[in-house]
Each structure stands twice: as structure tokens, then as C-alpha cells.
Amino acid sequence: MTETLQAADIVRLVDHTLLKPEATHADVDALIAEAVELGAYSVCVSPSMLPLVLPEGSELKIAVVAGFPSGKHTSAVKASEALEAVASGAHEVDMVIDVGAAKAGDFISVEEDIAIVRGAVPSPTVLKVIIESAALSDDEIVAVCQAAERAGADFVKTSTGFHPTGGATEHAVRLMAQTVGGRLGVKASGGVRTIDDARRYVAAGATRLGVSGTRALVEGADSAAGSGY
């Protein structure tokens, strides 16, 4: 039962994220130290922050965004950005689709965009596809997830966290999970702030979580446990 997932279980699903434009290399160094301390799965950063220095013996993964946050870059630019990131040590790439193409019903272009990035960074690099689910209808969410699967993506991801329509919802995560049927992972990102949020998204089908306030999430869980709630 997801209600019994402890904070440590949740944190192992977390991409500990820092994508603010004003982030410095010192901020990223602190992010890495915090991720290691808390037991996060990865850190997720902007490509200009690479290369990163991880503690010796650390199993922490490095995720980097591409085409972020608008997705309005050309496919060639996204592919080049992803390739450079992997060459600089990234294990995972979180790319943003052209949401406008999805809204126009041009899912062939969406698929081709993803496929070009996939071709630039083949497995074992993990490719996550950010679909901005809050900006899409249910039918569009399904179609984009299907396009991502056909293009060879490893994950579909709800949100950049920067779009004005909002971030993850349980409904979108559940629909995405039903569409990919366990063949792809599902990452809930944008608005995952508490342990209860995290548990709800995992219950809906999320297999990875994008969280910037990971310490607050953990400390909130610890505080609740200590108070008997």
C-alpha cells in the first residue's frame, strides 16, 4: 500500500531538482550534497551546470533538461543539447516536447521530435519526455504518450514546473500510467511538495518524482510521524 511508503522509500524515487535560472555552481554543489545525504535517486539540473563532481562511490545519477522550458527549440538543437549533456556526464535527459504541435494535433511531429533526440542519445541513456500535461486535454495526453512510446522514450513526465497552466495532477499521472501500461516509466513533476503528494502520485502510477523541496518533504514526513499523524 502506498500509504505505508516511508519517506526513505519516496526519496529513492526522487530527481532532486534545481532548474532556477539564477542557480549557481555553488547551489548545484549544495544540491548534490543534499541529494546524497537524503538518498535521492538523481539530481536534475540545467545543461550549463555540467560537468558535475559527485562524491566518490556515490550512486547518484545526473539528469539534465533539453529544450527547456518551452520545448520550442528545433529538434536538432534539442538533440545537440542532449548529446553534449551525455558527453559531459549526464545519465538521463528530460526533454520538452513542442506543446503547440500537440495542441494542433500534429502528433507525427511530436513523435519525430522525440525520435531525433532518442537517436542522438540511445540507451543506456534514459530519455524522459516532458509533455506539460496541464496544458493538454485527455485525448492529447494519450496521443503524446503513445508518440513517446513509439519514438523509444523511457519515461513520460508531466511538467516542467514552469508552465502557467500548472504541474502534475493525479488524474494526468493516472491517465499517463494507463496509457503506457508499465512499458514506460511515469514521472510526476511540478507541485510535489509533501509526502502525501508523493504518495498520491505513486498510487496513481508515478515511478519517479521531480522534487525541488526534497528536504522539506522529508522533514515534513518526519514531523508528522513524530506527532502521531
Side-chain angles (χ1 to χ4, degrees):
M1 297 290 290
T2 55
E3 294 84 356
T4 64
L5 283 176
Q6 301 301 307
D9 302 315
I10 293 293
V11 173
R12 281 192 286 269
L13 304 177
V14 165
D15 292 343
H16 189 38
T17 301
L18 179 61
L19 296 169
K20 293 180 179 179
E22 66 271 24
T24 66
H25 287 283
D27 293 332
V28 172
D29 289 342
L31 182 84
I32 292 168
E34 190 169 65
V36 171
E37 175 193 346
L38 297 175
Y41 182 83
S42 79
V43 289
C44 183
V45 299
S46 301
S48 62
M49 296 291 101
L50 298 178
L52 304 186
V53 177
L54 301 181
E56 187 174 351
S58 171
E59 296 182 356
L60 189 70
K61 301 297 184 185
I62 300 169
V64 174
V65 292
F68 193 90
S70 72
K72 286 296 188 181
H73 311 63
T74 65
S75 300
V77 168
K78 294 178 189 179
S80 177
E81 195 172 28
L83 182 60
E84 182 179 354
V86 171
S88 296
H91 306 102
E92 305 190 351
V93 173
D94 292 29
M95 68 164 286
V96 187
I97 67 163
D98 181 342
V99 181
K103 294 302 296 181
D106 188 1
F107 301 108
I108 293 175
S109 291
V110 173
E111 181 179 346
E112 289 175 346
D113 186 41
I114 300 165
I116 288 169
V117 178
R118 174 82 284 180
V121 288
S123 181
T125 299
V126 172
L127 179 61
K128 308 191 202 86
V129 175
I130 306 174
I131 72 170
E132 292 294 18
S133 56
L136 302 179
S137 69
D138 284 3
D139 287 346
E140 290 162 350
I141 289 172
V142 170
V144 169
C145 289
Q146 291 171 337
E149 182 172 4
R150 290 193 301 268
D154 299 295
F155 275 78
V156 285
K157 173 180 170 180
T158 58
S159 323
T160 60
F162 286 75
H163 199 281
T165 54
T169 65
E170 290 177 67
H171 172 75
V173 169
R174 187 171 293 108
L175 181 59
M176 292 162 69
Q178 290 171 348
T179 301
V180 301
R183 298 178 298 277
L184 278 66
V186 176
K187 179 175 173 180
S189 185
V192 185
R193 296 187 177 90
T194 69
I195 196 71
D196 287 339
D197 290 337
R199 286 174 177 145
R200 284 194 295 270
Y201 290 129
V202 172
T207 56
R208 192 81 67 85
L209 302 167
V211 183
S212 55
T214 309
R215 183 177 293 282
L217 185 151
V218 170
E219 290 179 349
D222 290 344
S223 175
S227 62
Y229 291 108

